[in-house]
Amino acid sequence: MLNENMKAIRKSKGLSQQELAVKLNIVRQTVSKWEQGLSVPDSDMLISLSEVLDTPVSTLLGETVIEKEADTLKAISEKLEVINLQLTQRKTTRRKIIYWSLVSLCAIIVIIFAILLASESSYLGWNYSDPETAVLGVAFHSFEWLFVRVAPVILIGAIIGIVCY
């Protein structure tokens, strides 16, 4: 049982027999004999072994330890691949959102221009002697004046954004 536990714990820590032997100041063949069950470490060496493996002596001598695989290069590369895939998906989603936002902005500007053309600035013929009508007429005129001057710049910027993105 000691041999199986020692081997499982050593592997879970990602240590080779040689690396463990160096840490214990012994030769690799001694570690190999312990793991094969051909010999056992003395009590002092068992304590040193538990310290190096960062495992209680009772665990080394006790029940069978389930061997955990150390993170190998393959496992790390698989994790990185998943992360890269997630980042690519986020970037693609972000690009789609920006693209469709720019398309929507262009559509809204064109629709507002069509509405303004269809209305033919009918508010200019209103009777401005009534204060409420005057305020509303000025608001419409201000919106139209500002929109006609600013919207073409925004429209051109949005079109360039659609083409370049």
Side-chain angles (χ1 to χ4, degrees), residues 66-126:
I66 298 172
E67 184 175 335
K68 290 188 332 187
E69 287 186 34
D71 277 341
T72 61
L73 186 58
K74 183 178 178 182
I76 292 171
S77 67
E78 288 173 357
K79 290 176 185 176
L80 287 174
E81 187 177 338
V82 169
I83 291 170
N84 283 335
L85 181 62
Q86 290 172 344
L87 290 174
T88 302
Q89 288 173 342
R90 284 184 189 163
K91 186 176 180 180
T92 302
T93 303
R94 192 176 310 126
R95 282 180 164 260
K96 285 180 182 179
I97 290 171
I98 291 172
Y99 175 82
W100 287 110
S101 297
L102 292 173
V103 169
S104 299
L105 179 64
C106 289
I108 290 169
I109 290 173
V110 168
I111 290 169
I112 293 174
F113 265 121
I115 291 170
L116 289 175
L117 281 175
S119 72
E120 297 178 356
S121 303
S122 61
Y123 60 86
L124 293 176
W126 293 353

Side-chain angles (χ1 to χ4, degrees), residues 10-159:
R10 175 184 60 80
K11 284 187 174 184
S12 72
K13 301 288 183 183
L15 294 172
S16 66
Q17 287 182 346
Q18 180 64 37
E19 291 168 331
L20 181 58
V22 168
K23 290 183 180 215
L24 294 171
N25 295 321
I26 57 174
V27 294
R28 185 201 56 81
Q29 289 80 0
T30 304
V31 175
S32 177
K33 286 180 182 178
W34 291 344
E35 289 183 357
Q36 291 176 14
L38 300 176
S39 67
V40 293
D42 62 16
S43 59
D44 291 336
M45 188 55 70
L46 193 57
I47 292 170
S48 298
L49 183 62
S50 74
E51 290 172 356
V52 168
L53 294 177
D54 193 30
T55 305
V57 175
S58 59
T59 303
L60 288 171
L61 297 174
E63 297 178 9
T64 305
V65 176
I66 298 172
E67 184 175 335
K68 290 188 332 187
E69 287 186 34
D71 277 341
T72 61
L73 186 58
K74 183 178 178 182
I76 292 171
S77 67
E78 288 173 357
K79 290 176 185 176
L80 287 174
E81 187 177 338
V82 169
I83 291 170
N84 283 335
L85 181 62
Q86 290 172 344
L87 290 174
T88 302
Q89 288 173 342
R90 284 184 189 163
K91 186 176 180 180
T92 302
T93 303
R94 192 176 310 126
R95 282 180 164 260
K96 285 180 182 179
I97 290 171
I98 291 172
Y99 175 82
W100 287 110
S101 297
L102 292 173
V103 169
S104 299
L105 179 64
C106 289
I108 290 169
I109 290 173
V110 168
I111 290 169
I112 293 174
F113 265 121
I115 291 170
L116 289 175
L117 281 175
S119 72
E120 297 178 356
S121 303
S122 61
Y123 60 86
L124 293 176
W126 293 353
N127 180 7
Y128 283 88
S129 59
D130 180 26
E132 292 174 358
T133 307
V135 170
L136 192 58
V138 169
F140 277 138
H141 184 68
S142 299
F143 171 74
E144 184 179 41
W145 183 86
L146 184 64
F147 185 79
V148 167
R149 278 153 184 78
V150 175
V153 175
I154 295 173
L155 182 64
I156 291 169
I159 291 171

